[in-house]
Amino acid sequence: MKFKTAALTLAFGGALFASTLALADDRLDQALRHVEEAITQIKLKDTGLLAYHADLSLEKAESLQKFKPDAHLAAAIDHLKAAVDEARQNHLAQAADHAKAAEGELKQVAQ
């Protein structure tokens, strides 16, 4: 009977671990998707939506950083924070530079 309990515990733990890894990968994909959308807003000169999407990307990146710390992710978070701040101040060029740098850092994490 103890063997069955141990086997079930191991199986459940493995499934839980696998689903947690899937969530981590999903957060990175979402962070990338939102930073790419923020970059699209640069072309449209919409700092409001740029700030919105950079903030969503920041939320996902910070969540992932807690789960799986990474130096490139930390750099992306810094750039995303700066992009949000600059966009909220209506500084399109500076926000654009930070959003593009954040995208590069997030792509490094994805490799």
Side-chain angles (χ1 to χ4, degrees), residues 4-27:
K4 266 188 178 177
T5 305
L8 282 173
T9 302
L10 185 60
F12 179 72
L16 182 62
F17 181 72
S19 68
T20 303
L21 288 177
L23 286 174
D25 292 342
D26 186 44
R27 285 180 278 197

Side-chain angles (χ1 to χ4, degrees), residues 10-57:
L10 185 60
F12 179 72
L16 182 62
F17 181 72
S19 68
T20 303
L21 288 177
L23 286 174
D25 292 342
D26 186 44
R27 285 180 278 197
L28 180 57
D29 290 343
Q30 289 178 9
L32 272 166
R33 187 171 48 244
H34 282 294
V35 80
E36 288 167 356
E37 186 60 35
I39 291 170
T40 299
Q41 299 309 316
I42 295 165
K43 297 170 190 167
L44 299 173
K45 298 182 179 169
D46 190 337
T47 54
L49 282 175
L50 190 159
Y52 173 75
H53 284 287
D55 194 38
L56 288 174
S57 181

Side-chain angles (χ1 to χ4, degrees), residues 78-97:
D78 290 341
H79 283 295
L80 288 167
K81 286 178 180 177
V84 170
D85 289 342
E86 295 291 349
R88 287 183 178 157
Q89 294 176 37
N90 213 25
H91 299 156
L92 183 64
Q94 295 90 337
D97 291 341

Side-chain angles (χ1 to χ4, degrees), residues 28 32 70 72-73 102-111:
L28 180 57
L32 272 166
D70 183 275
H72 289 290
L73 194 53
E103 179 187 34
E105 294 293 344
L106 287 172
K107 286 182 176 180
Q108 287 292 320
V109 175
Q111 289 181 352

